[in-house]
Amino acid sequence: MGMKITFSKTARKDADTAVIVVYSNKKLGPQAAALDKKTGGFIKQALINHNKFSGKNGETLALSLPAKSPFAQAVLLGLGDASMLEPLKAEDAGGKLYIALKQSGAEKVTLLIDGHTKLKKISEAELAAHIGNGIKLRSYTFDRYKSKKKDKGALKAVGVQVGIQAKAASLFKTLNSTAEGTFFARDLVNEPPNTLHPPHFAKTLQNELKPLGVEVKILDEKEMKKLGMGAILAVGMGSDQPPRMVIMRWKGNKSDKTAPVAFVGKGVTFDTGGISIKPAGGMDEMKMDMGGAAAVCGLMKSLALRKSKANVVGIVGLAENMPSAKAYRPGDIVKSLSGKTIEILNTDAEGRLVLADCLTYVQKTYKPRMIIDLATLTGAMMVALGHEYCGSFVNDNSLWEKMEKASATTGEKLWRMPLDPIWKTAMESATADLQNLGKTGRYAGACTAAGFLEHFIEGKTAWAHMDIAGTAWRKSDKPTSPKFGTGFGVRVLDRLVADHYEKK
Ligand code: BES
Ligand code: MN
Ligand code: ZN
């Protein structure tokens, strides 16, 4: 849910805090000037006195106002050079404003949006909507397991005042849908693995997405066996919680007869490594190994909430990778849904097995014109690009161009990685068709993983593999929430669909 944000033309009378925007020329816009007048020129004077506040983008300054003022305090929000201001910067400023509002003790806030004659990369309505989106995205919390809710502070609501209120509200509505999708993905990642096991994950999708008009089909392990999904089933064998595959369909345009686009997510609800067990330190973090699946589900929620005019299939492969007497072993040879046999050399390289069967299933069943998979697939990806960039392996230049644009507009950073035939070959086995470890050893680990997946892409289907091992999860510098899911992928893929796969 996060913060509730509303739009209107005039300031809320019941607010205790007014936010005014300040560009780098430090001149007050009409709404700010009107307020300043009521304070007897207090704000103008403060701008002169506080020589440290320069109106830089994202800078904030809280001021207690004199008694005669209509609000107890004002928070100044710097927006920087008007001619350089663009939606992502507005969003960033909104995030910082949220922090400043919390610190100032504000309860009810009225945010006075003044435009500027030099705005050219953003309209006034967009400015209002994107600052709102920044506030919203930053206001996320996950505290359902705290018996004593941490004091959430007094901040209850933010009302945005802007001349073109209807336009701003309608822009925000779309952004808000995607923020809600992002929150859903974050919630799924943050949920502990003892509750979010595969059957519960599948049920959650049914409960959350069906009411929004998304078709949700759950394959249980019996059906998966019957179909021949030997790869994902092998991963789940060691667990008492059986695997699931969930197929979600959003049919936003019934008259559009072109093939749908498909998104596939790795949903390993906990990855111990299996018999090739991981070291104890930090193993708790492997509850986030379903971050790819979470992103796909968050995307489906966003598409449904904003009633996207696209036809989209989302598939998640859900399994828990546990060591036990029933677990699969190194040395096993399993048969994937594609018919290709796979020699298991390391049970910790399980994500690619889960994805393999999902990829085959989606191609056989829906013949999509484009597939993107998301997975927390390799530690090697994190070594290469850290938490900032998501390495993306793409077999189609025009698809990559589209992804790159969507990345630039949403700020979810993608970096193209190489798909080379050498890594595809490195995954061929002497005894089976494939092996799940690359012959190049630990070098190029993210690339060999992509090379493995490439064996499951049929014909010339446009395909991208996004390894979100580094971006799905973040260690925060705040001691109170040391680790949390980011919902990475929802925003960039929602943008991609909106820009290229919706027929109006
Ligand atoms: N889920 C892990 C990858 C991972 C590691 C994600 C750290 C996020 C943070 C994946 O299943 C895995 O264990 N990969 C192995 C592959 C190796 C055995 C070829 C890895 O990266 O070490
Ligand atoms: Mn693993
Ligand atoms: Zn894993």
Side-chain angles (χ1 to χ4, degrees):
M1 263 304 276
M3 184 62 46
K4 183 148 178 60
I5 296 161
T6 55
F7 292 79
S8 63
K9 276 192 180 162
T10 50
R12 298 169 57 127
K13 292 281 178 310
D14 64 340
D16 52 79
T17 303
V19 176
I20 62 169
V21 296
V22 180
Y23 297 87
S24 50
N25 65 359
K26 287 169 93 175
K27 283 217 177 86
L28 295 181
Q31 295 195 82
L35 173 60
D36 180 55
K37 211 165 164 196
K38 288 182 194 154
T39 66
F42 184 87
I43 295 172
K44 226 181 232 165
Q45 193 55 44
L47 275 171
I48 296 167
N49 293 351
H50 281 262
N51 48 13
K52 268 201 187 139
F53 181 86
S54 63
K56 217 168 61 189
N57 192 70
E59 216 177 348
T60 56
L61 178 64
L63 303 169
S64 297
L65 296 179
K68 59 178 177 278
S69 316
F71 308 105
Q73 59 173 352
V75 173
L76 313 189
L77 175 65
L79 291 179
D81 181 350
S83 67
M84 299 302 285
L85 191 57
E86 37 136 9
L88 274 186
K89 283 192 184 148
E91 229 163 81
D92 199 43
K96 290 181 174 140
L97 173 61
Y98 177 76
I99 304 290
L101 288 173
K102 292 282 280 186
Q103 280 170 354
S104 75
E107 288 184 25
K108 286 186 184 145
V109 177
T110 184
L111 165 49
L112 311 173
I113 296 288
D114 283 320
H116 192 290
T117 51
K118 290 215 169 102
L119 290 181
K120 62 170 191 244
K121 297 180 173 178
I122 190 168
S123 70
E124 200 173 313
E126 284 170 329
L127 175 60
H130 284 275
I131 291 180
N133 195 36
I135 296 172
K136 169 89 184 192
L137 285 167
R138 190 62 72 89
S139 68
Y140 174 84
T141 51
F142 184 80
D143 60 2
R144 57 183 299 190
Y145 289 97
K146 282 280 192 196
S147 358
K148 259 202 207 136
K149 301 293 172 216
K150 212 176 61 195
D151 177 25
K152 284 195 174 174
L155 186 53
K156 292 282 178 313
V158 176
V160 185
Q161 276 59 240
V162 58
I164 22 176
Q165 168 248 342
K167 179 85 184 121
S170 115
L171 287 170
F172 180 76
K173 194 164 173 243
T174 307
L175 292 167
N176 192 52
S177 301
T178 308
E180 290 294 341
T182 302
F183 286 7
F184 184 37
R186 289 178 184 176
D187 279 347
L188 288 168
V189 171
N190 291 332
E191 190 66 25
N194 56 333
T195 59
L196 199 76
H197 48 65
H200 180 70
F201 196 141
K203 266 272 157 349
T204 303
L205 297 182
Q206 207 157 39
N207 295 343
E208 281 282 328
L209 298 177
K210 254 199 172 158
L212 303 179
V214 179
E215 286 176 19
V216 180
K217 186 169 130 180
I218 301 175
L219 299 180
D220 64 20
E221 75 272 33
K222 254 205 209 133
E223 292 160 288
M224 293 162 78
K225 249 181 219 150
K226 215 167 122 198
L227 289 163
M229 298 184 169
I232 183 174
L233 286 168
V235 174
M237 259 163 52
S239 171
D240 280 351
Q241 298 294 349
R244 296 281 185 265
M245 192 176 285
V246 182
I247 299 102
M248 296 159 278
R249 293 197 75 184
W250 173 251
K251 295 177 178 163
N253 193 337
K254 298 237 160 79
S255 64
D256 181 2
K257 296 295 176 221
T258 47
V261 294
F263 297 92
V264 171
K266 167 182 174 182
V268 172
T269 58
F270 194 69
D271 182 12
T272 63
I275 297 297
S276 315
I277 199 161
K278 286 180 182 296
M283 204 203 268
D284 61 293
E285 290 184 24
M286 281 302 124
K287 74 167 186 178
M288 57 69 101
D289 211 17
M290 30 55 71
V296 171
C297 302
L299 172 65
M300 299 309 286
K301 180 162 184 176
S302 169
L303 296 175
L305 283 176
R306 67 175 182 78
K307 304 204 165 40
S308 159
K309 295 252 186 289
N311 294 328
V312 178
V313 185
I315 295 207
V316 293
L318 309 173
E320 187 182 40
N321 190 18
M322 296 290 271
S324 82
K326 294 182 295 172
Y328 77 137
R329 298 153 284 258
D332 284 1
I333 294 181
V334 303
K335 189 167 183 180
S336 66
L337 179 62
S338 71
K340 291 183 179 167
T341 56
I342 305 164
E343 182 185 15
I344 307 303
L345 295 181
N346 187 320
T347 61
D348 199 12
E350 86 296 340
R352 59 199 74 184
L353 302 171
V354 169
L355 289 174
D357 282 346
C358 291
L359 287 169
T360 302
Y361 186 82
V362 77
Q363 288 169 99
K364 294 266 183 274
T365 317
Y366 302 104
K367 312 233 171 322
R369 60 181 143 145
M370 181 278 274
I371 307 173
I372 296 182
D373 76 69
L374 298 100
T376 49
L377 205 60
T378 66
M381 190 75 259
M382 213 157 54
V383 172
L385 299 181
H387 290 299
E388 215 49 52
Y389 276 85
C390 159
S392 307
F393 300 80
V394 192
N395 71 357
D396 181 285
N397 288 335
S398 119
L399 173 58
W400 167 246
E401 271 169 33
K402 293 175 182 131
M403 291 170 69
E404 209 177 11
K405 267 213 196 90
S407 167
T409 41
T410 55
E412 291 197 320
K413 296 178 195 167
L414 306 181
W415 193 260
R416 193 174 187 178
M417 297 287 289
L419 274 173
D420 193 291
I422 197 130
W423 293 313
K424 203 174 167 189
T425 314
M427 304 310 293
E428 289 166 2
S429 153
T431 40
D433 299 329
L434 298 170
Q435 58 185 46
N436 78 335
L437 262 196
K439 286 191 280 256
T440 52
R442 64 193 191 88
Y443 294 117
C447 303
T448 51
F452 179 88
L453 298 178
E454 215 182 346
H455 282 281
F456 296 89
I457 301 301
E458 299 163 13
K460 288 201 162 38
T461 311
W463 162 69
H465 157 57
M466 292 166 57
D467 191 335
I468 58 169
T471 48
W473 178 258
R474 201 175 263 280
K475 289 189 193 188
S476 130
D477 40 16
K478 277 184 290 180
T480 45
S481 73
K483 304 157 184 171
F484 60 93
T486 57
F488 185 95
V490 175
R491 286 187 288 154
V492 66
L493 295 178
D494 180 86
R495 190 75 252 154
L496 181 79
V497 171
D499 287 346
H500 301 285
Y501 301 101
E502 289 182 354
K503 262 204 188 138
K504 304 278 150 43

